[in-house]
Structures are given as C-alpha cells and as structure tokens.
Amino acid sequence: MKMEDHSFLKSETIENVSRIFKVLADPTRIKILYLLSQEECNVNHIAEVLEMSQSAVSHQLSMLRNLRLVKYRREGKTLFYSCDDEHVISLLKQAIDHSEHH
Amino acid sequence: MKMEDHSFLKSETIENVSRIFKVLADPTRIKILYLLSQEECNVNHIAEVLEMSQSAVSHQLSMLRNLRLVKYRREGKTLFYSCDDEHVISLLKQAIDHSEHH
DNA sequence: ATTATATATGAGCATATGTTCATATGTATG
DNA sequence: CATACATATGAACATATGCTCATATATAAT
C-alpha cells in the first residue's frame, strides 16, 4: 500500500481516543466506574467499598468530572455521583466481558 | 446498597482490563494498531508512515507481541507484522467511531 | 568471511501518573 | 458564630512510561 492510499486518523481523533482509553487504563478508575454503573454513590461510600482514601477517590472523581464521564447531585453535605457517559461504560463492560470469558 | 450486595470484579479481571486499555491509551500504539488493522506491514514501513524512529516502533511492537496483540511472519530479512486480536481492534474501532461522530 | 540491510534490545532520561499528607471549602446544626 | 461532617484541592513523592542513543542480532549477498 502506498503512503497516499492510507486512511489516516485525524490527530484530534487520536487524541480523543487516547484520552478515553487512558481513563479506562487505571484499576482504580475501572472500579469506580464499574461501581457507579451499578448504583449512584457518595464519595465516602466509594472510598469504603473500594478501600481507598477519601482523598484518592476525590482526586479521581475530579478527573472523571472534568472529562464528563460522571455527574453528581448534592443532598445536604453529601454528593451523589453517577455515570454520565454510556459509551465509555459500554467499552468498559465489553472489555470486562471479554476478559471473563476467555 | 449494602457492601455484601455488590457484584465485585475479580482482581484478575481488573488487571486484564487495565492491561488492554493501557495498550490502547497511547497515541503511537493507536496509530500502529490502526495501520496494522488495514494492512500487514514491515517495521520500516510503519516507521516511515508514522514518522517514528525504527527503534521506537520496534520497542512498541515488542510490547504488542508480548501481549499477543500482533503476530509476524518473516520474509528474508523483513518481518511483516499484523493484528492478532480482533477484540482489541474492535474496541479501538468503536472508540474511533464514537470520537468521529460526536 | 565480510559487508549491508532489517530488526531487536538495553541503558538512560524526561515526562506523566496516582497516591498521601495537610489543609481548604462548603453545608448543616447547636 | 462555632463546630462537625462531607468533599475538594495543592504540593510532594515514588513509580511507570515512551523515547533516544548506542549496540546487538539475524539474514542475505558478494
């Protein structure tokens, strides 16, 4: 195949795709997203269930928020987080499914 | 939801999933895998098309080989690489598709 | 055997990433 | 307003990652 016959990816596309997969590449974020795909959770609950510090969870949620992968609603002092990107959850669940059945 | 009612992921699953996404999280590997999904390529061809050093390409191919995501065949001095994991290519193409249509 | 070409690999380096620790912010309650 | 609780955030640190440079290995041709 000649150089000029390749279908190249736009660099913007490559950056976007890389960004999505970077999020999903970390075990902690996999756990958080999987948990949030099952139920809305407050921060402390996530920290307890996943046995992580409140700070570590909050930092990760901050990142997921910036990337619009999660959203939250406030109830008094408590913030309830949930998933806000079905496509990313779909990619995650496919990878989980594949890993568990091979 | 109570602690004991969660469906947790096995740590082995989490590690596997993380490993898959780590591979796909790097722009260089995205380009290599996408190129190889289109055609079988030798190392120098990849380096030229992607404007990378031979060494950098070879290091990445070494990683992709170890993870069984690519395979190769020899023809004289030349090694021709191709994809060896349809599922990973499928995840990649879905992410590309999503990125390009949103 | 020597030389050329194709690819692989190890060491070193710069940058990115995820955590902890300390502290700040925001909200309800006495 | 003072205190407690829930969450956020900045700095520092340790580890991981991807590249370059130099060199090694493998194959073919002379």
Side-chain angles (χ1 to χ4, degrees):
Chain A
M1 207 188 266
K2 289 174 188 169
M3 267 301 263
E4 58 271 27
D5 293 335
H6 283 287
S7 102
F8 289 110
L9 296 171
K10 281 185 296 183
S11 60
E12 190 199 342
T13 300
I14 294 171
E15 287 309 314
N16 286 341
V17 169
S18 168
R19 217 185 326 274
I20 292 172
F21 288 132
K22 271 201 173 75
V23 175
L24 295 169
D26 177 64
T28 293
R29 285 188 296 270
I30 291 173
K31 292 185 219 169
I32 292 177
L33 287 172
Y34 185 71
L35 181 57
L36 292 181
S37 80
Q38 298 187 307
E39 57 165 343
E40 193 185 45
C41 291
N42 65 51
V43 181
N44 279 331
H45 181 71
I46 299 173
E48 280 162 31
V49 170
L50 303 186
E51 295 178 292
M52 301 176 54
S53 73
Q54 176 269 320
S55 179
V57 171
S58 189
H59 276 295
Q60 295 293 4
L61 287 173
S62 159
M63 174 186 178
L64 296 172
R65 244 188 296 125
N66 291 334
L67 294 167
R68 320 263 170 183
L69 301 191
V70 300
K71 62 189 175 200
Y72 65 91
R73 67 182 176 84
R74 176 178 287 279
E75 209 170 275
K77 285 174 291 193
T78 306
L79 300 183
F80 288 94
Y81 279 84
S82 55
C83 286
D84 199 27
D85 189 323
E86 273 312 310
H87 178 255
V88 166
I89 295 300
S90 159
L91 286 173
L92 175 59
K93 291 199 169 169
Q94 273 179 67
I96 291 170
D97 201 63
H98 184 259
S99 164
E100 284 177 343
H101 300 91
H102 280 78
Chain B
M1 206 187 265
K2 290 177 188 167
M3 268 299 264
E4 58 272 26
D5 294 335
H6 283 287
S7 102
F8 289 110
L9 296 169
K10 280 185 298 181
S11 60
E12 190 198 344
T13 300
I14 295 170
E15 288 308 314
N16 286 341
V17 169
S18 167
R19 219 186 324 274
I20 292 172
F21 287 132
K22 272 201 172 76
V23 174
L24 295 169
D26 178 64
T28 293
R29 284 188 296 270
I30 291 173
K31 292 185 217 169
I32 292 177
L33 287 171
Y34 185 71
L35 181 57
L36 292 182
S37 80
Q38 299 186 306
E39 57 165 343
E40 192 186 47
C41 292
N42 64 53
V43 181
N44 279 330
H45 181 71
I46 299 172
E48 282 163 29
V49 170
L50 303 186
E51 296 178 293
M52 301 177 54
S53 74
Q54 175 269 321
S55 179
V57 171
S58 189
H59 274 295
Q60 295 292 3
L61 287 173
S62 158
M63 175 187 179
L64 296 173
R65 245 188 293 125
N66 291 334
L67 294 167
R68 318 265 170 182
L69 301 190
V70 301
K71 63 190 174 197
Y72 66 90
R73 68 182 175 83
R74 177 178 287 279
E75 206 170 280
K77 284 174 290 193
T78 307
L79 300 184
F80 288 93
Y81 279 84
S82 55
C83 287
D84 198 27
D85 189 323
E86 273 313 309
H87 178 256
V88 166
I89 294 300
S90 160
L91 286 173
L92 175 58
K93 292 199 167 168
Q94 274 178 66
I96 291 170
D97 201 64
H98 184 259
S99 164
E100 284 177 344
H101 299 91
H102 280 79

